[in-house]
Amino acid sequence: MENQYFVGWGTLALINAGLAQGKNRSGLNWFFISLLLGPIATLLLVIQEKLPGKR
């Protein structure tokens, strides 16, 4: 059961990295932030506006 927790947390970090890249933010930075904050990082990404710049 403990391994499932780590797999889920890592999967969430990967999803957050993809969300961050879609908002023109650093996917790698948000991956590491997500490893620390988990679902809180997801909430922060969802409520942030997209940065202007790349499409």
Side-chain angles (χ1 to χ4, degrees), residues 2-51:
E2 193 171 307
N3 288 339
Q4 291 175 351
Y5 177 77
F6 290 115
V7 170
W9 203 265
T11 302
L12 181 61
L14 288 172
I15 291 169
N16 286 346
L19 279 172
Q21 287 181 339
K23 293 191 173 205
N24 296 328
R25 301 186 187 283
S26 170
L28 183 61
N29 287 344
W30 275 97
F31 174 78
F32 289 121
I33 291 169
S34 297
L35 286 176
L36 294 173
L37 300 178
I40 296 169
T42 305
L43 177 65
L44 293 173
L45 278 168
V46 169
I47 63 174
Q48 285 181 345
E49 293 187 21
K50 186 174 182 177
L51 288 176

